[in-house]
Amino acid sequence: MTWRVTLAAMLLLTLALPANAQTRVEGFEIGLSSDTVTVGSSFGSSRLVVFGALDNADQRVLRQGRYDIVVVLEGPRRDVVIRERDRFLGVWINRGSEDFNRLAQSYALASTRPLRDIAPASVLRQLTIGAQNEVLRAQQSVESSEGQVDAYAAAMLRLKTQSGLYTESIGTVEFVSQTLFRAALVLSPDLPVGRHLLRAYLFREGQLIRERSDEIWVRKTGFDNEVSVFAANYGVLYGLMAVLLAVVTGWFGRLLFRRD
């Protein structure tokens, strides 16, 4: 009889708890105006806008501004090799090389605040959030739990950043209302075509709450698309035409600049 009374008392106590004392399960949704991005010869740097909304958000955390959003657009993945070159007796030679497995060809990130203020470095490495962490994930020969960057990883990150393929935009995720947010991702003019993965993360006071993902396809348009399709379908003929064009161009240039 005693255990029945105890169980009934616990049940009444649980029902008497206020709503904000119960476990809160926040969520969020993201949306895009289009799942396809077209690029061409006139395509310049632009922005991809992602909209989203929080669900079941804690009003106290909202007032304190402790919800953070990180949005990442990753390009197609492929294996990449980077080589170190040095001069030896006046000749450039390869000193060493490093393999990067399934490295994202492009990486655009937008966040509400600097990443170091959103979550601990160990969490960011585990989730592969940040351009540096993407390079370290793909690196084959070096395994460091501390996320150290060696010369090869630093060189790869520098090349990707200088080409505009790897970008991080801090503060470009904005809350337009209490629960609605907008993220602006910077897209490179050399954005690779193919399947891109959009990932969004919701953090609350430094802890990951939810993750969402979606696909975006990047396609060429206009004359660039016609050339790309022709080269893919008729590779041999495309190669012969390229050689013929080079010969004709060289011959015409020789006639044009010939000195009698």
Side-chain angles (χ1 to χ4, degrees):
M1 185 65 179
T2 304
W3 67 269
R4 292 183 180 179
V5 175
T6 304
L7 181 61
M10 292 178 61
L11 179 60
L12 289 175
L13 182 61
T14 302
L15 293 176
L17 286 174
N20 57 4
Q22 299 177 10
T23 303
R24 178 178 297 275
V25 182
E26 298 100 325
F28 75 121
E29 300 294 335
I30 58 174
L32 298 166
S33 58
S34 175
D35 60 358
T36 303
V37 176
T38 56
V39 298
S41 57
S42 60
F43 180 78
S45 296
S46 62
R47 292 176 180 267
L48 174 67
V49 180
V50 181
F51 294 94
L54 300 183
D55 182 31
N56 197 29
D58 189 320
Q59 295 300 316
R60 177 188 63 83
V61 180
L62 279 175
R63 288 192 299 269
Q64 296 176 351
R66 301 303 296 175
Y67 282 117
D68 286 295
I69 304 291
V70 179
V71 180
V72 175
L73 182 64
E74 298 176 352
R77 298 182 177 275
R78 68 181 181 90
D79 297 342
V80 179
V81 179
I82 189 170
R83 305 184 188 279
E84 178 187 6
R85 302 187 66 187
D86 196 7
R87 292 184 68 90
F88 179 74
L89 299 178
V91 179
W92 287 99
I93 61 173
N94 293 328
R95 288 289 190 181
S97 64
E98 179 65 87
D99 295 330
F100 291 84
N101 183 37
R102 301 188 69 249
L103 179 70
Q105 296 306 289
S106 61
Y107 188 96
L109 178 146
S111 62
T112 49
R113 295 186 296 162
L115 296 180
R116 64 177 180 273
D117 297 333
I118 293 178
S122 58
V123 174
L124 298 175
R125 284 197 303 271
Q126 182 180 2
L127 298 172
T128 319
I129 297 178
Q132 176 177 305
N133 288 326
E134 167 60 21
V135 172
L136 290 176
R137 179 206 60 78
Q139 193 174 14
Q140 292 296 288
S141 66
V142 178
E143 295 184 3
S144 172
S145 59
E146 301 299 326
Q148 297 175 353
V149 180
D150 68 356
Y152 289 106
M156 176 62 73
L157 182 60
R158 183 178 66 255
L159 291 174
K160 289 290 187 181
T161 303
Q162 290 176 349
S163 65
L165 291 173
Y166 276 31
T167 60
E168 292 186 358
S169 303
I170 307 302
T172 53
V173 178
E174 302 174 337
F175 280 89
V176 296
S177 71
Q178 261 201 327
T179 57
L180 298 179
F181 63 88
R182 178 181 62 190
L185 293 166
V186 179
L187 302 182
S188 167
D190 297 323
L191 197 67
V193 298
R195 173 183 174 272
H196 291 240
L197 179 63
L198 180 71
R199 297 189 295 157
Y201 303 89
L202 171 63
F203 289 89
R204 172 183 173 175
E205 298 178 328
Q207 294 188 353
L208 177 67
I209 302 299
R210 286 288 183 273
E211 178 182 349
R212 291 286 183 267
S213 62
D214 203 349
E215 288 185 354
I216 296 179
W217 288 87
V218 176
R219 307 182 188 279
K220 289 185 178 180
T221 185
F223 180 74
D224 291 346
N225 181 58
E226 298 297 332
V227 174
S228 178
V229 172
F230 181 81
N233 295 333
Y234 307 98
V236 176
L237 182 58
Y238 175 79
L240 293 175
M241 291 179 62
V243 172
L244 180 61
L245 180 62
V247 171
V248 172
T249 303
W251 174 78
F252 180 75
R254 181 182 178 185
L255 290 179
L256 185 63
F257 297 101
R258 183 176 59 183
R259 295 182 180 180
D260 295 333

